[in-house]
Amino acid sequence: MDLNRVIKLLQETDKDDLEEKQLKAVKILVQYYQNGFPLRDLAQIFKILNLCAGKIGQQPHFIESAYSILKLCGLPFLKKKVSDEITYAEDTANSIALLGDLMKVPSSELRIQICKCIVDFYHAEPPKKHITGYQQASSSYKIQMAEVGGLAKTMVQSLALLDNQLVEKLWVLKALQHLSTSEANCTLMMQAQAASSICAHLNDPDPSGQLLFRSSEILWNLLEKSSKEEIIQQLSNLECLLALKEIFKNLFMRGFRHYDRQLRNDILVITTIIAQNPEAPMIECGFTRDLILFATFNEVKSQNPLVKGLKLSNSYEDFELKKLLFNIIVILCKDLPTVQLLIDGKVVLALFTYVKKPEKHKIIEWSAAQYEELQLHAIATLSSVAPLLIEEYMLCQGNARILAFLEWCESEDSFFSHGNSFHGTGGRGNKFAHMRYTLRLLRAMVYLQDETVNNDLCEKGTIQQLIGIFKNTISKSNDKEEAIVLEIQSDILLILSGLCEHNIPRKEIFGTEGVDVILHVLKTDPKKFQSGLGYIVLLFSTLDSIWCCILGCYPSEDYFLEKEGIFLLLDLLALNQKKFCNLILGIMVEFCDNPKTTVHVNSWRGKKDQTAASLLIKLWRKEEKELGVKRDKHGKIIDTKKPLFTSFQEEQNIMPLPADCPTVAVMDVAENIRAKIYAVLGKLDFENLPGLSAEDFVTLCIIHRYLDFKIGEIWNEIYEEIKLEKLRPVTTDKNILEAITTASENIGKMVASLQSEMIESQARQDVQNEQRVYAKIQATHKQRDLANKSWENFLARTSNAKTLKKAKRLQEKAIESSRYNERPPNAIFHQTEIKGLNTTVPSGRVVTLESTPARLVGGPLADTDIALKKLPIRGGALQRVKTVKIVDEPKKNVLT
């Protein structure tokens, strides 16, 4: 079909029967393309559609023509080649974008058809019949082109034209509901301020209820698939919040259908998300007050007409509503102006109605599982609300309620926990979930450091009760509940730390029982600290408890030392875990103030008989390596001007700072463990440290002078800052500064010299040790050679008679030469040699006989009757022989 002729015809204006010809041409076009528009013709067809829409204002008959073309746009587009989708992509995107512009045409019928056409993009119908040479474009092609063309943005803008036209508005919302299923369209809608324009009209009259449903669905999609922060910002205005408030109140008070309750909950979730923005005028619009009222009216009686006669059922939707209301209270209380509204609404009292043991035979509106979940949620909510309302907490006797509830949690009452919810995780069949959230609430109150609250807790025996609970959890826990039990134990120790810190009488109450609990944790298998089940958190809590509950109380310190607590701390330190080394060293510094600690520290031995001093020096070397401190291969100082400088300090340029701002050199003291190692070794006495190697002594020289080096480093910073500020100190000050820096450098040189002497001495000692070892090896080889030579001589004597005689003559000659030549008078000479012996071994008249091995003769019982009866035939003692034939019996035995 010649589309250019149709376009030219529609552009003509000066003929009499022109309108009839134009309508007829468009009608033929519609008839020709009744099975769908080819992609190659789309640009021209939409140009024709645009020309028809432009004539509607003066020639209403063109409405039908435009309507017919739009109706065909709902059919799938056709392609002749596979590449048509790519070739005509730009034309297609521009054509589809034109649909949004056509919404400006003041025709209700046309606008509705445009919306239907857009909806058909997502529910495409197949063509009525197949056209030879054409294929249907992919089902998602139109949707993609709508995203590229920005159709969603123009559709949002068209809402401003439909203020009082409900039907058309509903169709536009339906189209936007479909368009908002993709992230690209949601981004375009966000740019067009869709959230605020849709939310502001939520409360518009609509008997069908579609407006609220479709609008909430679009808002949900915008929050999920575009920038959440931007959407919240768009909704955080008075107009939107007032609309949400009225809708929620209406659904809460008058909604009775399942659909109404679901919609009510959806609106509350959207409100909760908006409430996260502190700039949202929740209080100004009155929404916060109403939400607090709706959250507490079941627990606290109210005369407010909004809740008069209202009652929640135990349906799933009402149950979810109750949890959502608890949740939004947590969010609202982050805004401090809300505090007064929480007081007026008696929120703390309402929430405390759940902090009690379940009462048997009492009819409640919730099922057992629902009540348990609400109970846990209420306690969790109190953890956020109660610290803001301390007076209300005390008026409600919060401490007494919590301790009583903890006592029930610890008791053996028959209670089956369902553990279905997020808050009930790990608590199925037990009360651990209740205990966990109650302890979280107690921890939140203790860490306020409010003396009224903490004194009241201690007067009620909280410290002893918590220690008892800790001991019970040790005996009751199993592998399935390990994670939740560890969390409970960590919270107990943190609460005890908060109560005992800076208070000696409470530390005395903590006493030996508390120390035993801490020692139990310290004895945990180190492998478990890598298990990820909360052992590392428990260890940190335990170290905090040592600091807050033991240190400063001498009886507890002595008991801790007596039970080898310092040994356990050093065992942990030897694990070389950077994450808790700093804490342990800090505790060690404080413990060393106790004169009994030094003996325990020096007595400790680690793997390979390592001492505590050697361990600390090893940690120092590791820390310096990580910090990038310059040392040579022996650990000796390289830069005597900056012996402690780290790589970070080298990179940082010195710059003038206010007097109250710590410099890099000062911050270095707090940011690594070197200062603590120096403090511990200083209290142990640098001169008498056992078990150190030469390398350790070289490092110890630096540690011993740490404070001098650090002071010099800070003075050097001061001098450099003065130079940078271009200040000129007076002569005396300048001389003093130069003297200090020179003295610091001289100390560095002195330490470096001492280290060199130690290294040289050790090198000499190593050489001497090496020579001793070589001498020992040489002596061993010499002895082995002599033994070999002796053996060879022995073999020669036994195998050659001449050699034997020669050896005998030499032996006799040596014996003779060893005697005195002059004999004393009247002396009796005793002959010691036996004549005629051809042996070279010393001989005499006494002969030593070696016993025959037992394995040959059968043992001492071989000639007895018992041996024959008891021992087996094979093996054991020899059998007795009854008859023995003697061949030749010697006449007499001669012992030689």
Side-chain angles (χ1 to χ4, degrees):
M1 186 173 183
D2 188 359
L3 295 175
N4 289 327
R5 189 183 67 81
V6 178
I7 293 169
K8 189 176 180 181
L9 180 62
L10 288 171
Q11 289 174 342
E12 293 178 1
T13 56
D14 53 355
K15 291 185 179 180
D16 295 336
D17 57 346
L18 185 61
E19 182 179 348
E20 187 178 345
K21 288 180 181 180
Q22 290 171 339
L23 291 170
K24 186 176 180 181
V26 174
K27 189 175 182 180
I28 293 169
L29 180 144
V30 171
Q31 185 66 28
Y32 184 79
Y33 291 110
Q34 60 181 335
N35 292 312
F37 295 129
L39 291 175
R40 65 178 183 179
D41 297 338
L42 209 57
Q44 293 172 302
I45 290 169
F46 269 83
K47 189 173 182 180
I48 292 168
L49 175 60
N50 196 29
L51 289 169
C52 291
K55 294 178 178 292
I56 289 174
Q58 297 179 353
Q59 298 171 286
H61 294 95
F62 278 94
I63 290 177
E64 186 179 350
S65 300
Y67 181 88
S68 301
I69 296 173
L70 284 170
K71 196 171 182 181
L72 293 176
C73 289
L75 297 174
F77 293 149
L78 304 174
K79 59 183 180 181
K80 198 164 189 177
K81 299 177 183 177
V82 176
S83 61
D84 282 358
E85 289 187 4
I86 300 171
T87 305
Y88 300 107
E90 186 177 354
D91 291 343
T92 307
N94 293 333
S95 300
I96 291 177
L98 188 62
L99 293 175
D101 295 331
L102 292 176
M103 290 296 293
K104 298 175 184 177
V105 178
S107 169
S108 176
E109 187 179 0
L110 201 64
R111 287 170 175 171
I112 292 171
Q113 185 55 45
I114 291 170
C115 295
K116 286 181 179 179
C117 178
I118 294 169
V119 173
D120 286 340
F121 290 178
Y122 297 85
H123 309 284
E125 295 181 3
K128 295 176 182 178
K129 65 178 182 178
H130 179 70
I131 302 173
T132 307
Y134 286 93
Q135 292 180 344
Q136 182 179 333
S138 60
S139 57
S140 61
Y141 184 66
K142 283 184 177 180
I143 299 171
Q144 293 172 4
M145 293 301 103
E147 293 174 1
V148 174
L151 176 62
K153 189 172 183 178
T154 53
M155 290 302 293
V156 171
Q157 292 168 349
S158 70
L159 281 172
L161 307 171
L162 309 173
D163 284 342
N164 300 315
Q165 300 169 28
L166 180 60
V167 177
E168 297 164 29
K169 184 184 288 188
L170 292 177
W171 271 106
V172 172
L173 289 173
K174 186 176 181 180
L176 287 173
Q177 185 181 353
H178 284 80
L179 289 169
S180 64
T181 54
S182 78
E183 292 184 5
N185 284 335
C186 283
T187 304
L188 291 168
M189 293 168 68
M190 177 189 71
Q191 293 170 1
Q193 303 290 314
S196 56
S197 60
I198 291 173
C199 186
H201 294 88
L202 278 176
N203 207 25
D204 288 356
D206 173 29
S208 67
Q210 290 187 47
L211 186 144
L212 182 56
F213 166 70
R214 298 196 187 283
S215 298
S216 62
E217 181 73 19
I218 294 167
L219 291 175
W220 264 114
N221 290 338
L222 288 171
L223 286 166
E224 288 179 355
K225 297 177 181 178
S226 63
S227 172
K228 187 176 180 180
E229 293 74 18
E230 178 62 29
I231 297 300
I232 291 173
Q233 198 62 40
Q234 290 182 19
L235 295 173
S236 299
N237 59 70
L238 201 59
E239 188 179 9
C240 291
L241 287 172
L242 283 171
L244 286 169
K245 171 190 168 184
E246 293 304 319
I247 286 294
F248 180 75
K249 282 169 58 177
N250 185 51
L251 290 171
F252 190 92
M253 297 166 62
R254 298 179 182 84
F256 60 93
R257 295 175 299 176
H258 177 75
Y259 162 78
D260 293 336
R261 291 171 178 169
Q262 283 185 328
L263 197 55
R264 172 198 63 192
N265 292 355
D266 289 346
I267 296 297
L268 184 54
V269 173
I270 293 170
T271 305
T272 303
I273 294 171
I274 299 170
Q276 294 173 6
N277 180 14
E279 298 176 1
M282 293 289 294
I283 298 174
E284 291 82 347
C285 69
F287 207 174
T288 299
R289 185 181 294 276
D290 289 346
L291 288 170
I292 292 171
L293 174 66
F294 292 142
T296 59
F297 80 95
N298 256 21
E299 294 77 21
V300 180
K301 291 182 180 180
S302 174
Q303 301 301 320
N304 195 303
L306 289 176
V307 294
K308 191 174 182 180
L310 273 180
K311 189 176 181 182
L312 296 177
S313 67
N314 62 354
S315 65
Y316 177 77
E317 288 73 26
D318 283 353
F319 174 60
E320 285 295 315
L321 171 71
K322 193 69 178 176
K323 293 194 295 180
L324 288 171
L325 287 169
F326 283 165
N327 185 55
I328 201 170
I329 285 176
V330 174
I331 293 168
L332 291 172
C333 72
K334 294 176 182 177
D335 188 14
L336 290 180
T338 310
V339 170
Q340 188 57 47
L341 297 177
L342 295 172
I343 295 170
D344 296 341
K346 300 180 180 178
V347 172
V348 173
L349 179 59
L351 293 171
F352 262 120
T353 58
Y354 292 93
V355 187
K356 61 183 179 181
K357 65 178 183 179
E359 298 178 10
K360 297 179 180 178
H361 313 299
K362 183 179 179 181
I363 300 173
I364 56 175
E365 61 269 24
W366 309 108
S367 67
Q370 287 176 333
Y371 183 78
E372 178 194 334
E373 192 170 343
L374 288 177
Q375 187 178 43
L376 293 171
H377 205 148
I379 298 171
T381 305
L382 266 173
S383 300
S384 299
V385 176
L388 301 173
L389 308 170
I390 296 175
E391 291 184 12
E392 282 63 33
Y393 173 84
M394 295 303 293
L395 286 172
C396 294
Q397 296 183 338
N399 288 337
R401 291 182 187 231
I402 290 172
L403 295 177
F405 192 69
L406 276 176
E407 188 177 348
W408 172 78
C409 292
E410 191 187 5
S411 67
E412 300 293 336
D413 289 358
S414 57
F415 174 77
F416 183 80
S417 172
H418 293 77
N420 295 326
S421 65
F422 165 78
H423 295 94
T425 304
R428 186 169 181 82
N430 55 55
K431 304 171 191 170
F432 283 144
H434 298 75
M435 187 180 291
R436 170 170 59 180
Y437 281 96
T438 309
L439 287 170
R440 283 187 187 178
L441 169 58
L442 191 57
R443 187 186 70 191
M445 297 309 299
V446 167
Y447 269 77
L448 292 173
Q449 293 297 318
D450 185 276
E451 279 305 309
T452 306
V453 175
N454 289 357
N455 285 336
D456 186 54
L457 281 169
C458 293
E459 287 171 4
K460 289 180 167 58
T462 304
I463 295 175
Q464 299 94 320
Q465 185 176 349
L466 290 176
I467 292 171
I469 292 172
F470 193 104
K471 290 180 178 179
N472 286 337
T473 57
I474 295 171
S475 59
K476 289 181 181 179
S477 64
N478 55 52
D479 292 340
K480 291 182 180 178
E481 299 154 356
E482 189 174 17
I484 190 171
V485 168
L486 290 173
E487 185 181 341
I488 287 170
Q489 291 175 345
S490 300
D491 281 341
I492 288 173
L493 292 176
L494 288 172
I495 292 166
L496 290 171
S497 299
L499 289 173
C500 296
E501 190 174 13
H502 310 309
N503 194 301
I504 300 299
R506 293 177 192 170
K507 291 182 181 182
E508 292 172 353
I509 295 171
F510 183 80
T512 57
E513 287 189 12
V515 175
D516 287 334
V517 164
I518 287 174
L519 291 170
H520 171 81
V521 179
L522 292 178
K523 291 175 183 177
T524 304
D525 184 359
K527 294 179 181 177
K528 291 185 176 180
F529 294 138
Q530 308 299 328
S531 65
L533 288 173
Y535 279 101
I536 196 71
V537 178
L538 179 61
L539 178 60
F540 277 116
S541 304
T542 307
L543 295 174
D544 188 50
S545 297
I546 295 173
W547 200 298
C548 299
C549 303
I550 296 177
L551 288 171
C553 180
Y554 295 117
S556 296
E557 285 185 12
D558 292 344
Y559 185 75
F560 184 82
L561 292 171
E562 181 186 335
K563 293 295 181 179
E564 300 182 347
I566 285 293
F567 288 2
L568 296 172
L569 286 175
L570 288 168
D571 289 339
L572 285 172
L573 195 61
L575 295 176
N576 209 359
Q577 295 288 329
K578 189 173 179 65
K579 47 197 168 188
F580 47 75
C581 273
N582 206 347
L583 269 174
I584 294 173
L585 287 169
I587 293 168
M588 293 286 295
V589 171
E590 296 297 328
F591 253 114
C592 285
D593 287 338
N594 190 322
K596 298 178 183 178
T597 304
T598 305
V599 178
H600 287 263
V601 174
N602 288 331
S603 301
W604 178 84
R605 292 294 181 271
K607 290 181 180 178
K608 299 181 180 178
D609 207 33
Q610 185 183 34
T611 62
S614 177
L615 172 62
L616 292 170
I617 293 170
K618 181 182 175 183
L619 289 173
W620 176 285
R621 284 197 294 268
K622 182 188 175 189
E623 185 75 3
E624 288 203 327
K625 186 177 180 181
E626 291 176 355
L627 293 171
V629 180
K630 292 180 180 178
R631 300 279 185 262
D632 67 5
K633 63 180 181 179
H634 300 293
K636 182 182 165 185
I637 293 173
I638 294 176
D639 187 352
T640 55
K641 290 184 178 179
K642 302 173 182 177
L644 298 178
F645 251 47
T646 64
S647 58
F648 176 76
Q649 286 176 281
E650 293 282 0
E651 293 167 3
Q652 295 293 316
N653 295 323
I654 295 175
M655 54 186 295
L657 292 171
D660 58 344
C661 290
T663 62
V664 177
V666 176
M667 289 298 295
D668 175 71
V669 176
E671 288 176 352
N672 58 68
I673 62 174
R674 292 189 294 179
K676 292 184 176 68
I677 292 173
Y678 165 76
V680 174
L681 289 175
K683 291 184 179 182
L684 293 178
D685 187 1
F686 286 106
E687 304 299 328
N688 300 306
L689 297 175
L692 301 184
S693 64
E695 186 183 11
D696 292 338
F697 278 112
V698 169
T699 307
L700 188 63
C701 291
I702 301 172
I703 300 173
H704 194 187
R705 289 289 185 173
Y706 172 79
L707 189 59
D708 295 329
F709 290 147
K710 184 56 67 174
I711 291 170
E713 193 177 300
I714 292 170
W715 275 110
N716 184 59
E717 275 189 347
I718 294 169
Y719 196 20
E720 292 297 326
E721 283 186 24
I722 289 172
K723 288 180 181 178
L724 287 172
E725 291 180 348
K726 296 180 180 179
L727 297 175
R728 188 175 175 184
V730 296
T731 305
T732 308
D733 290 343
K734 185 178 180 181
N735 292 337
I736 292 171
L737 280 172
E738 289 175 352
I740 290 170
T741 52
T742 304
S744 177
E745 187 177 351
N746 289 338
I747 292 172
K749 289 177 180 178
M750 181 187 69
V751 171
S753 175
L754 181 60
Q755 287 178 314
S756 298
E757 289 178 12
M758 287 181 175
I759 292 166
E760 290 171 5
S761 174
Q762 182 62 30
R764 288 194 297 271
Q765 185 66 35
D766 290 342
V767 170
Q768 291 175 5
N769 292 338
E770 189 176 349
Q771 288 174 347
R772 287 194 197 99
V773 172
Y774 283 141
K776 188 175 181 181
I777 293 170
Q778 189 176 9
T780 303
H781 281 284
K782 186 175 181 180
Q783 188 66 28
R784 192 176 297 161
D785 291 341
L786 291 172
N788 290 337
K789 190 174 181 181
S790 175
W791 176 249
E792 289 172 0
N793 291 335
F794 174 75
L795 289 177
R797 292 196 306 271
T798 56
S799 59
N800 192 328
K802 292 181 179 180
T803 306
L804 179 63
K805 289 177 181 179
K806 184 179 178 181
K808 181 66 175 175
R809 287 194 298 270
L810 291 173
Q811 184 186 38
E812 289 175 349
K813 186 177 179 181
I815 291 170
E816 189 64 31
S817 65
S818 67
R819 291 172 177 165
Y820 289 108
N821 293 326
E822 296 181 1
R823 297 178 183 176
N826 302 324
I828 301 172
F829 177 75
H830 296 278
Q831 186 69 28
T832 59
E833 293 106 8
I834 301 173
K835 300 294 184 180
L837 287 180
N838 290 323
T839 62
T840 57
V841 294
S843 303
R845 296 185 183 278
V846 180
V847 177
T848 302
L849 298 177
E850 291 185 359
S851 177
T852 306
R855 59 187 172 82
L856 298 178
V857 298
L861 300 178
D863 294 332
T864 64
D865 294 332
I866 298 173
L868 296 176
K869 292 178 182 179
K870 299 293 182 181
L871 296 176
I873 294 173
R874 295 185 180 181
L878 299 175
Q879 296 182 3
R880 292 182 62 189
V881 181
K882 294 181 179 180
T883 305
V884 179
K885 184 180 180 180
I886 300 174
V887 180
D888 186 12
E889 183 178 356
K891 292 182 180 180
K892 63 179 180 179
N893 297 324
V894 180
L895 185 64
T896 306

